[in-house]
Amino acid sequence: MLKNSMGFRRFAVSIGYWHDPYIQHLVRLSKERKAPEINRGYFARVHGVSQLIKAFLQKTECHCQILNLGAGMDTIFWRLKDEDLLPSKYFEVDFPMIVTRKLHSIKYKPFLLQPIIELHSEDTLQIDGHLLDSKRYAIIGADLRDLPELEEKLKKCNMNPQLPTLLITECVLVYMTPEQSANLIKWAANSFETAMFINYEQVNMDDRFGQIMIENLRRRQCDLAGVETCKSLESQKERLLSNGWETASAVNMMEVYSRLPQAEASRIESLEFLDEMELLEQLMKHYCLCWASKGGSELGLKEITY
């Protein structure tokens, strides 16, 4: 799934949906052309998540840490560095097998490695099979369902529970059982006094279109173990509120798309012709952006909205 998903992103970047000079060093460009509605969906996802990350960085004045859980081949670290928006430290966690692949690319591609070294004041940069640890960036191979192991590995890389913390999960929780995702969300709420959680994943999966999505994924041997939490925006918010978070909001991606600045909407709509606006709307209404906060009232975390 991850490979497929990152391939979609690489394709959308190659057409010009958003600027990311790093993804080409991590993900191969697929020969197969992706449908315009898929590309617009990815654009809305990247735009929406990015807006919320920047709002958090603004409120904390970058005096914070970010934990990207299930980050895959994501390039957010490099893009934030380019915009002078790096937090005190940026952590990524994914399965060891995925981390190994990412670290291999970083190790042998100066374009990816150089920015990390630049920020690292010590002589030696720790980079081996399942781990990269540097002053501002850590990539950790771990299973998000094993919380004691996750916590131990993060602490070894100097995760600071006292620092305002942003946690990000994109299409990650849906692959866990509801109990496993609830435990992860609860662990996140209990571990940090001041925090924000961003989750992007499916919603409205109870209707006909949602059922078709599930069947299509099952046919590709991909089971959504946590799909019951993806019933509605309400069930998404409820999961956050019942596991230790103080505020929770959720919007479907059609809402995110419809709030794009006019110039940006016109720019991306001119990239590819889309004859089926209805299909785009259906697709976008089955994905959502949720965010939650706890503490941080003096920073104004509760006021963050999309």
Side-chain angles (χ1 to χ4, degrees), residues 7 29 63 107 220 226 242:
L29 185 56
H63 182 62
K107 214 170 176 172
R220 302 208 308 251
S242 58

Side-chain angles (χ1 to χ4, degrees), residues 246-291:
E246 292 162 8
T247 69
S249 310
V251 293
N252 73 46
M253 295 312 288
M254 200 57 218
E255 239 173 288
V256 170
Y257 189 79
S258 64
R259 292 188 208 168
L260 283 175
Q262 192 45 57
E264 194 61 343
S266 303
R267 182 186 73 79
I268 71 151
E269 284 164 9
S270 69
L271 292 173
E272 292 179 287
F273 175 68
L274 179 73
D275 53 355
E276 270 295 318
M277 194 59 192
E278 206 178 308
L279 183 56
L280 176 72
E281 285 187 19
Q282 281 278 34
L283 200 59
M284 297 276 219
K285 282 178 181 163
H286 286 82
Y287 284 91
C288 66
L289 193 54
C290 317
W291 62 99

Side-chain angles (χ1 to χ4, degrees), residues 71-128:
M73 298 297 142
D74 214 289
T75 59
I76 295 175
F77 166 80
W78 290 279
R79 289 182 287 137
L80 288 176
K81 180 183 183 291
D82 285 346
E83 292 184 60
D84 254 335
L85 285 173
L86 269 189
S88 304
K89 189 152 183 178
Y90 188 93
F91 299 82
E92 285 181 358
V93 180
D94 214 318
F95 288 124
M97 190 182 86
I98 290 165
V99 165
T100 302
R101 261 179 47 209
K102 189 168 194 171
L103 294 186
H104 185 269
S105 294
I106 291 172
K107 214 170 176 172
Y108 296 106
K109 297 189 178 172
F111 193 68
L112 299 174
L113 187 59
Q114 215 41 53
I116 302 169
I117 292 171
E118 263 170 44
L119 296 162
H120 191 68
S121 47
E122 289 142 46
D123 302 338
T124 52
L125 183 77
Q126 190 187 348
I127 182 164
D128 56 43

Side-chain angles (χ1 to χ4, degrees), residues 127-145:
I127 182 164
D128 56 43
H130 302 150
L131 178 75
L132 175 141
D133 190 25
S134 69
K135 197 173 167 65
R136 306 289 291 279
Y137 191 20
I139 304 177
I140 297 165
D143 188 329
L144 298 172
R145 294 165 298 190

Side-chain angles (χ1 to χ4, degrees), residues 12-211:
V13 166
S14 75
I15 291 180
Y17 278 87
W18 68 94
H19 179 66
D20 182 350
Y22 301 97
I23 197 165
Q24 68 193 52
H25 297 281
L26 290 165
V27 184
R28 281 198 195 97
L29 185 56
S30 138
K31 303 269 186 288
E32 172 203 348
R33 194 169 178 85
K34 308 295 181 285
E37 56 274 10
I38 302 274
N39 295 326
R40 287 198 198 173
Y42 268 95
F43 173 81
R45 168 181 175 174
V46 169
H47 176 83
V49 170
S50 173
Q51 292 292 99
L52 290 173
I53 293 174
K54 285 178 184 173
F56 180 83
L57 289 167
Q58 210 174 351
K59 297 278 187 197
T60 58
E61 294 177 347
C62 293
H63 182 62
C64 62
Q65 60 195 356
I66 295 180
L67 271 60
N68 192 337
L69 306 176
M73 298 297 142
D74 214 289
T75 59
I76 295 175
F77 166 80
W78 290 279
R79 289 182 287 137
L80 288 176
K81 180 183 183 291
D82 285 346
E83 292 184 60
D84 254 335
L85 285 173
L86 269 189
S88 304
K89 189 152 183 178
Y90 188 93
F91 299 82
E92 285 181 358
V93 180
D94 214 318
F95 288 124
M97 190 182 86
I98 290 165
V99 165
T100 302
R101 261 179 47 209
K102 189 168 194 171
L103 294 186
H104 185 269
S105 294
I106 291 172
K107 214 170 176 172
Y108 296 106
K109 297 189 178 172
F111 193 68
L112 299 174
L113 187 59
Q114 215 41 53
I116 302 169
I117 292 171
E118 263 170 44
L119 296 162
H120 191 68
S121 47
E122 289 142 46
D123 302 338
T124 52
L125 183 77
Q126 190 187 348
I127 182 164
D128 56 43
H130 302 150
L131 178 75
L132 175 141
D133 190 25
S134 69
K135 197 173 167 65
R136 306 289 291 279
Y137 191 20
I139 304 177
I140 297 165
D143 188 329
L144 298 172
R145 294 165 298 190
D146 182 345
L147 295 170
E149 179 205 28
L150 174 67
E151 184 160 350
E152 187 195 337
K153 288 183 172 179
L154 284 164
K155 285 191 169 152
K156 270 192 183 148
C157 292
N158 297 319
M159 175 189 78
N160 178 356
Q162 263 56 65
L163 217 48
T165 302
L166 170 61
L167 301 106
I168 305 164
T169 54
E170 293 186 54
C171 288
V172 168
L173 303 180
V174 73
Y175 293 106
M176 299 178 169
T177 66
E179 189 189 4
Q180 289 164 344
S181 70
N183 287 341
L184 178 65
I185 289 166
K186 196 178 287 168
W187 168 82
N190 293 340
S191 298
F192 309 102
E193 225 163 281
T194 301
M196 178 174 172
F197 198 107
I198 298 174
N199 179 38
Y200 167 89
E201 70 181 354
Q202 291 85 343
V203 74
N204 296 325
M205 294 303 271
D206 264 3
D207 67 16
R208 185 72 199 111
F209 192 89
Q211 291 307 307

